[in-house]
Amino acid sequence: MRPGESFVSQPIRSLQTMLRTLAEHDDRYKVVIPDGVYGAQTMNAVAQFQRNHGLPVTGVTDQQTWEAIVPRYEYALVHVQQAQPVEIILNSSEVLCSGDSNPCLYVAQSLLLVLSQVYGSIGAPTMSGILDDSTADSLSSFQALIGLPMTGNLDKVTWKHLALHFPLAANLAQRQAQHDGRSG
């Protein structure tokens, strides 16, 4: 709920969006609909914020109030948005092959580990950052599962499919763990 470009030169709507984000993160704040009108709803939300933070309770957003809202909004925004994705960059023709060592392989091995827990046909790789035999076997099994050539290498196409399959597999693994916890 970050103020977008459309909120430039719209300080009231920006304020309301920040207050709404605070309310999504912490129920001590009042929910505001970002309508661009500084009405009773906005005044009440500002007054609540001021009360919560030991500021003079006026319901008016002065400089002191604004400067208190902004860092709390930025903190809350991290918690209400999705986690920051990690982008792995493989050059267009880069292929990691048997024996290669690369920090990206730790991530690929982690993805493969989760996939191995969900899909029985994939063996768990070694967590080494090296494309060793166990990682190559895991990659080959994964490639066979999704219909790619079984090279055991990590290229951009295999990486793309690992990244696409991981969220579902991680969700399934988490649900299974929760289920196992309830029935155990």
Side-chain angles (χ1 to χ4, degrees):
M1 205 153 213
R2 180 174 208 108
E5 292 297 318
S6 62
F7 293 170
V8 172
S9 300
Q10 294 186 44
I12 295 171
R13 191 163 285 177
S14 294
L15 169 68
Q16 292 168 330
T17 300
M18 289 189 290
L19 291 168
R20 182 176 182 99
T21 301
L22 287 171
E24 288 177 17
H25 174 63
D26 185 337
D27 60 5
R28 295 180 305 146
Y29 300 104
K30 293 185 181 287
V31 175
V32 177
I33 297 171
D35 61 5
V37 177
Y38 204 106
Q41 183 186 50
T42 301
M43 287 184 74
N44 288 335
V46 169
Q48 183 65 49
F49 179 88
Q50 292 167 329
R51 235 183 322 282
N52 290 348
H53 297 285
L55 299 169
V57 180
T58 62
V60 174
T61 306
D62 57 9
Q63 190 66 33
Q64 182 183 17
T65 301
W66 183 272
E67 289 176 1
I69 289 172
V70 170
R72 287 170 178 87
Y73 158 74
E74 289 172 345
Y75 177 81
L77 189 61
V78 170
H79 294 278
V80 300
Q81 288 183 329
Q82 291 185 355
Q84 180 67 37
V86 175
E87 293 187 34
I88 303 298
I89 300 172
L90 293 176
N91 296 324
S92 60
S93 60
E94 186 174 9
V95 177
L96 300 177
C97 301
S98 182
D100 286 349
S101 175
N102 187 304
C104 295
L105 284 167
Y106 284 108
V107 177
Q109 289 165 334
S110 296
L111 299 175
L112 285 164
L113 179 62
V114 171
L115 292 169
S116 74
Q117 294 167 352
V118 173
Y119 306 133
S121 61
I122 299 173
T126 306
M127 303 300 288
S128 63
I130 299 169
L131 208 156
D132 56 12
D133 290 341
S134 113
T135 302
D137 290 345
S138 295
L139 283 168
S140 290
S141 297
F142 176 72
Q143 290 164 332
L145 183 68
I146 60 168
L148 292 175
M150 293 175 47
T151 64
N153 297 328
L154 182 60
D155 57 12
K156 285 183 82 168
V157 174
T158 303
W159 178 261
K160 176 184 175 182
H161 288 283
L162 282 171
L164 290 172
H165 280 78
F166 174 76
L168 176 62
N171 190 29
L172 290 172
Q174 182 179 13
R175 276 202 248 151
Q176 183 61 44
Q178 289 170 345
H179 179 266
D180 291 347
R182 282 192 299 262
S183 55

